[in-house]
């Protein structure tokens, strides 16, 4: 089908002739000089020139003709014919084979369109993935030439670069240790050696500082899957636009994601943490006693009502920062979670939580009392700052600074970390306080479905698998319950055997009669 659509041409120049062999003349009657292309006499030589194809494509939906598909540079006629066949099949599948749009051009156009109806954080993640990964590795490719192998190569590079990042982090850690040792040596050195020791410390310190600035986080399996989800979303739209035949992002192999298991700070884990400085898991929660100790320690902190809400009701940081008095009904003890504050490059944005996270949270009596006291405190602060003309209206937010200014959500995380460090307790992130709320509720016997509603999870499985760590007391009770169950069964079996043995054994009167019959001595009364 394509034999008559392939032809050979070259870049030689010479006198031009028409198809019927007549010279092509210019306005002055002189024969034109130009590219000979198909008419070059040397084309009969095997190694001269290259092969091209030219295809008539299927018409547009309105029946109008489309431009021909042309491409050259093939070594043989067979190569050109094979390429033409592939282009024809792609065109038959509805792909726009004439498009020269690159992956970079498409992705920039795609994300500009998607931003119109995306959450600000999602749009930021899309743009981050495009700039950091897709454009450097795939951007120069024409979109219609993109295949799964190109995408897989990108992820293979990420894995190799992760190894470099890990090695660099170890190098920086080693420099830090050297700097600490050099600093200690300088301070402990005799007076006559201190100048040299200080110079040695300064040199390694400066090297450590410079290398630390180049530290890069490892791109983990979960992040790689998030990156691929972004690309998959874009390529789905490319398929709909008939720019590619398939969503090739769905054909790649990615590392398996293992979600970190939430662990409780047991004495053994605390001892190991103090010895090594490493947390057993990224997700850690306190025991009931440790939680009580923390709340007692922060009871005089200005934001104690906030810490209380997070520890017992499991609010997210952005949800807590966004609470307004309009969404609080202290008479009924209900908090309506309808808004959250999110940060993109430290800039704060109002956002609507996911559908399952919009919920009513029932407040305990202690939380209600704390919030009522906080309300009075905030009113007094407002009156004082208004007299100075310095009160800031932050949209009736519940948790504000003394002058009414809205808190940045990161301030909550930083302040929590500082208080945890001062308390002497093992480290727990602010978000793990939410995890602990679910665990404490589970330990208290609250129904899992109620915990799911309180935390705003989309499924009960997420609540059970991810956020409800088992408290040590419950583990002990579960272990004892299993042993007790088996012990009761064993006791039941023993009693059954004893009853059967007693039933088969003759009574004492029958035994005496048998002994008399056998000539035995009579038993004295």
């Amino acid at each position: 089908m394509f034999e008559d659509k392939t032809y050979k041409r070259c870049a030689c120049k010479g006198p031009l002739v028409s198809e019927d062999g007549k010279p092509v003349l210019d306005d002055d009657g002189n024969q034109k000089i130009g590219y000979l292309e198909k008419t070059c006499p040397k084309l009969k030589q095997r190694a001269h020139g290259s092969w091209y194809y030219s295809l008539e494509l299927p018409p547009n939906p309105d029946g109008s003709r489309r431009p021909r598909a042309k491409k050259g540079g093939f070594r043989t006629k067979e190569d050109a014919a094979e390429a033409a066949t592939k282009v024809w099949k792609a065109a038959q599948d509805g792909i726009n084979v004439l498009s020269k749009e690159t992956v970079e051009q498409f992705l920039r156009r795609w994300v500009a369109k998607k931003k119109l109806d995306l959450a600000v954080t999602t749009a930021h993640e899309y743009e981050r993935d495009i700039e950091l990964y897709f454009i450097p590795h795939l951007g120069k490719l024409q979109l219609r030439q993109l295949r799964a192998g190109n995408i897989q190569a990108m992820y293979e590079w990420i894995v190799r670069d992760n190894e470099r990042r890990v090695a660099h982090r170890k190098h920086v850690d080693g420099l830090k240790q050297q700097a600490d040792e050099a600093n200690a040596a300088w301070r402990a050195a005799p007076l006559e050696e201190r100048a040299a020791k200080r110079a040695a410390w300064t040199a390694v310190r400066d090297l450590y500082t410079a290398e630390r600035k180049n530290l890069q986080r490892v791109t983990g399996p979960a992040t790689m899957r998030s990156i691929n989800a972004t690309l998959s979303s874009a390529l789905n739209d490319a398929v709909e636009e008939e720019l590619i035949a398939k969503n090739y992002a769905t054909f790649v192999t990615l590392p398996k994601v293992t979600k970190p298991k939430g662990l409780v700070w047991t004495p053994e884990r605390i001892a190991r943490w103090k010895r090594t400085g490493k947390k057993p898991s990224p997700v850690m929660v306190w025991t009931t006693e440790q939680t009580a100790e923390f709340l007692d320690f922060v009871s005089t902190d200005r934001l104690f009502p906030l810490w209380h809400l997070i520890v017992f009701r499991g609010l997210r940081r952005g949800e807590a920062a966004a609470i307004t008095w309009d969404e609080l009904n202290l008479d009924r003890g209900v908090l309506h979670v309808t808004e959250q504050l999110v940060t993109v490059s430290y800039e704060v944005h109002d956002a609507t939580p996911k559908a399952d996270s919009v919920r009513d949270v029932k407040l305990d009596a202690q939380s209600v009392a704390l919030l009522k006291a906080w309300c009075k405190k905030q009113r007094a602060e407002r009156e004082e700052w208004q007299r100075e003309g310095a009160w800031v209206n932050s949209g009736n937010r519940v948790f504000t600074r003394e002058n009414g200014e809205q808190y940045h959500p990161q301030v909550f995380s930083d302040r929590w970390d500082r208080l945890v460090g001062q308390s002497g307790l093992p480290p727990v992130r602010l978000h793990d306080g939410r995890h602990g709320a679910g665990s404490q509720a589970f330990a208290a016997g609250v129904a899992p479905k109620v915990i799911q509603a309180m935390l705003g999870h989309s499924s009960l499985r997420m609540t059970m698998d991810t956020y409800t760590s088992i408290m040590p007391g419950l583990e002990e009770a579960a272990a004892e319950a299993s042993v007790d169950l088996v012990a009761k069964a064993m006791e039941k079996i023993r009693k059954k055997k004893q009853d059967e043995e007693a039933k088969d054994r003759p009574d004492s009167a029958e035994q005496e009669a048998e002994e008399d019959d056998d000539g035995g001595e009579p038993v004295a009364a």
Side-chain angles (χ1 to χ4, degrees):
M1 175 180 181
F2 299 107
E3 282 193 19
D4 59 341
K5 303 296 183 183
T6 57
Y7 56 91
K8 205 175 184 186
R9 61 184 292 182
C10 66
C12 295
K13 287 187 175 182
L16 299 180
V17 295
S18 62
E19 292 182 359
D20 56 5
K22 295 181 179 180
V24 177
L25 306 178
D26 59 18
D27 295 338
D28 297 330
N30 300 317
Q31 189 173 9
K32 288 183 177 181
I33 303 296
Y35 289 106
L36 299 177
E37 296 184 341
K38 300 178 185 180
T39 63
C40 179
K42 296 181 181 179
L43 287 179
K44 294 180 181 180
Q45 301 174 14
R46 180 183 295 273
H48 189 77
S50 59
W51 286 91
Y52 287 72
Y53 69 74
S54 176
L55 292 179
E56 182 79 25
L57 296 174
N60 290 311
D62 60 2
S64 60
R65 294 184 63 182
R66 302 171 69 188
R68 297 179 69 87
K70 298 180 180 181
K71 189 175 182 181
F74 297 99
R75 187 176 61 85
T76 66
K77 181 177 182 178
E78 290 73 18
D79 291 343
E82 183 180 353
T85 303
K86 291 180 179 178
V87 170
W88 175 260
K89 288 182 177 179
Q92 292 293 97
D93 290 337
I95 304 304
N96 182 1
V97 296
L98 298 177
S99 172
K100 297 186 181 300
E101 188 174 35
T102 65
V103 173
E104 177 179 356
Q105 291 168 338
F106 168 74
L107 289 175
R108 292 197 186 282
R109 175 170 65 83
W110 172 78
V111 78
K113 176 184 68 174
K114 297 292 286 187
K115 284 174 67 174
L116 298 176
D117 62 349
L118 281 178
V120 63
T121 50
T122 305
H124 174 71
E125 290 173 2
Y126 282 2
E127 290 177 324
R128 177 202 62 195
D129 295 342
I130 289 171
E131 297 297 331
L132 292 183
Y133 301 101
F134 306 146
I135 289 178
H137 294 277
L138 308 171
K140 302 303 180 186
L141 282 172
Q142 286 189 5
L143 181 62
R144 60 188 178 88
Q145 296 174 337
L146 179 67
R147 295 295 182 268
N150 307 120
I151 304 170
Q152 189 70 56
M154 178 184 69
Y155 292 120
E156 290 171 359
W157 177 88
I158 291 175
V159 171
R160 292 193 301 272
D161 197 55
N162 278 340
E163 295 173 356
R164 178 194 64 79
R165 295 182 184 192
V166 170
H168 182 246
R169 184 170 293 276
K170 289 181 179 178
H171 172 63
V172 173
D173 290 343
L175 289 176
K176 183 179 186 304
Q177 184 176 352
Q178 293 177 33
D180 292 342
E181 292 172 354
N183 181 270
W186 161 54
R187 295 182 181 280
L191 185 61
E192 62 274 14
E193 299 179 10
R194 286 177 65 85
K197 295 289 186 182
R198 190 180 191 284
W201 166 65
T202 301
V204 70
R205 180 202 61 188
D206 291 346
L207 181 59
Y208 161 68
T209 302
E211 288 295 318
R212 186 180 61 181
K213 292 179 180 178
N214 297 323
L215 279 175
Q216 292 177 295
R217 294 176 58 185
V218 168
T219 305
T223 302
M224 290 174 67
R225 289 186 179 272
S226 174
I227 293 168
N228 202 60
T230 300
L231 183 58
S232 182
S233 178
L235 295 186
N236 274 337
D237 285 5
V239 171
E240 291 183 4
E241 291 184 33
E242 298 183 345
L243 297 174
I244 55 176
K246 301 175 184 177
N247 182 347
Y248 294 104
T250 61
F251 298 107
V252 298
T253 301
L254 298 174
K256 184 179 180 181
V257 177
T258 303
K259 290 186 178 181
K261 179 178 176 59
L263 299 177
V264 179
W265 276 115
T266 61
E268 296 79 11
R269 289 167 182 157
I270 293 175
R272 181 187 175 192
W273 163 68
K274 289 182 176 179
R275 187 174 66 253
T276 65
K278 295 181 179 179
K279 294 166 60 176
S281 169
V283 181
M284 299 298 298
V285 297
W286 287 318
T287 63
T288 303
E289 292 75 15
Q290 291 162 349
T291 302
E293 186 177 344
F294 176 75
L295 289 175
D296 182 65
F297 179 80
V298 299
S299 60
T300 57
D301 185 73
R302 168 179 165 78
L303 291 177
F304 179 67
L306 170 66
W307 311 139
H308 191 278
L309 271 180
I310 290 175
V311 166
F312 286 106
R313 306 269 58 89
L315 293 182
R316 297 177 177 89
R317 182 184 77 172
E319 294 170 347
I323 300 172
T324 65
W325 290 109
D326 305 307
E327 298 298 325
L328 259 177
N329 189 326
L330 296 181
D331 293 331
R332 292 178 52 224
V334 175
L335 164 62
H336 307 290
V337 179
T338 59
E339 188 182 359
Q340 64 177 342
L341 297 184
V342 298
T343 59
V344 175
S345 300
Y346 205 75
E347 184 178 338
V348 180
H349 299 268
D350 292 333
T352 302
K354 295 180 180 179
D356 297 300
S357 296
V358 176
R359 63 197 186 278
D360 289 348
V361 177
K362 182 64 179 176
L363 301 177
D364 56 278
Q366 199 172 54
S367 293
V368 170
L370 287 170
L371 287 169
K372 286 182 177 179
W374 175 265
C375 183
K376 292 180 181 179
K377 178 183 179 69
Q378 192 182 62
R379 286 175 181 171
E381 291 172 344
R382 181 192 307 177
E383 292 174 1
E384 181 180 351
W385 284 82
Q386 281 178 336
R387 284 195 295 270
E388 301 295 328
W391 175 257
V392 178
N393 185 354
S394 59
N396 210 22
R397 302 283 186 208
V398 171
F399 295 108
T400 62
R401 298 180 183 276
E402 291 87 340
N403 66 343
E405 183 182 352
Q406 175 178 285
Y407 274 111
H408 191 291
Q410 185 60 39
V411 172
F412 294 161
S413 295
D414 294 341
R415 189 163 184 161
W416 170 280
D417 291 341
R418 186 167 62 253
L419 290 169
V420 171
Q422 293 172 353
S423 72
L425 289 163
V428 163
R429 302 173 306 166
L430 178 61
H431 190 75
D432 293 338
R434 167 179 166 79
H435 179 97
S439 299
Q440 296 291 347
F442 189 74
V446 178
K449 195 68 179 175
V450 176
I451 300 175
Q452 176 196 349
M454 178 183 75
L455 297 177
H457 289 158
S458 59
S459 68
L460 184 60
R461 180 178 179 180
M462 177 185 290
T463 304
M464 297 300 293
D465 291 350
T466 309
Y467 287 95
T468 50
S469 296
I470 305 299
M471 292 287 114
L474 291 182
E475 291 178 329
E476 294 169 8
E480 293 298 331
S482 300
V483 174
D484 290 344
L485 187 64
V486 175
K488 289 177 181 178
M490 291 175 64
E491 182 64 27
K492 188 175 180 180
I493 291 172
R494 288 197 203 99
K495 188 175 184 305
K496 183 178 180 181
K497 286 183 177 180
Q498 290 173 355
D499 291 343
E500 290 175 350
E501 290 173 358
K503 183 178 180 182
D504 293 340
R505 190 171 55 245
D507 57 27
S508 58
E510 291 175 347
Q511 187 175 359
E512 290 176 7
E514 290 176 359
E515 290 177 352
D516 289 342
D517 291 342
D518 293 339
E521 291 293 329
V523 179

